[in-house]
Amino acid sequence: SRFVASWVYEPPFFKDSSNKLLKYLVSGWQITGITTLQSGIPANITFAADRANIGIAGLQRPNLVGAVPDLNCQPNTGGATQVEQRQMINCYDASAFALPNQFTFGNAPRNVLRGPNFKQTDLAFMKNVPVGGQARLQLRAEIYNVFNRANFANPNTSFGAAAFGRITALATNST
């Protein structure tokens, strides 16, 4: 599910001030924002082999042999490089899945897992300043991802691969 809120707030401070300089500099500012909250994107677990012998590899699903695992990522503190250390690992419990018998399809439902959620708030501060007649100058400052939250992409969902359950990238449109 996804929730997006766009809002505008104009603080009422100093609008009626008798001090013209204070009124001109401090009043009339607007604060705007966009907040996006989204649950994780569905993740479909597949494996590379053609166990069902249908001539299509990479799209078949494994057996679900336990409870559907929750997303439970850990930082890769033992990574050999800085890039690897920024990755999240073991996001899905691989022991909840098994390869199906030869010539059979797996019983894992499509999109059985969810990836990480997405949370982001962008802010803008602005003020329209009259510069003469009908003309106005807009002063604006914008801050994207104001809480500096990393929004991760879905983990690797290729069961049996060395990277299974590993997040190696940020979500699209994440800042």
Side-chain angles (χ1 to χ4, degrees):
S1 58
R2 183 176 171 100
F3 171 80
V4 179
S6 300
W7 47 273
V8 177
Y9 175 68
E10 189 169 329
F13 313 119
F14 303 107
K15 282 187 171 200
D16 299 324
S17 175
S18 59
N19 184 330
K20 291 194 183 263
L21 182 63
L22 190 62
K23 184 177 178 178
Y24 185 78
L25 292 177
V26 179
S27 74
W29 284 91
Q30 289 182 329
I31 303 167
T32 64
I34 300 173
T35 298
T36 303
L37 307 173
Q38 179 176 306
S39 61
I41 296 172
N44 193 31
I45 305 299
T46 60
F47 55 87
D50 180 13
R51 300 285 289 188
N53 199 32
I54 60 172
I56 300 172
L59 298 178
Q60 297 171 32
R61 293 189 289 275
N63 283 329
L64 181 62
V65 294
V68 175
D70 291 327
L71 184 71
N72 186 23
C73 301
Q74 291 91 40
N76 187 10
T77 56
T81 65
Q82 284 186 342
V83 170
E84 287 180 355
Q85 290 172 5
R86 287 192 297 261
Q87 297 175 355
M88 303 297 281
I89 59 173
N90 301 326
C91 293
Y92 301 130
D93 182 7
S95 67
F97 301 98
L99 288 176
N101 292 330
Q102 193 68 37
F103 308 111
T104 63
F105 291 100
N107 66 5
R110 182 175 178 263
N111 296 331
V112 67
L113 302 175
R114 290 258 174 200
N117 61 24
F118 183 95
K119 296 177 184 175
Q120 184 166 311
T121 297
D122 301 330
L123 290 178
F125 301 92
M126 66 187 94
K127 178 178 175 80
N128 291 317
V129 179
V131 291
Q134 295 286 331
R136 294 189 182 276
L137 172 69
Q138 186 175 75
L139 304 174
R140 178 184 285 251
E142 296 178 342
I143 304 168
Y144 297 99
N145 194 6
V146 71
F147 299 113
N148 197 26
R149 182 182 191 273
N151 289 298
F152 293 102
N154 270 2
N156 180 297
T157 57
S158 184
F159 178 69
F164 178 74
R166 181 179 294 244
I167 296 176
T168 59
L170 292 177
T172 304
N173 296 327
S174 180
T175 53

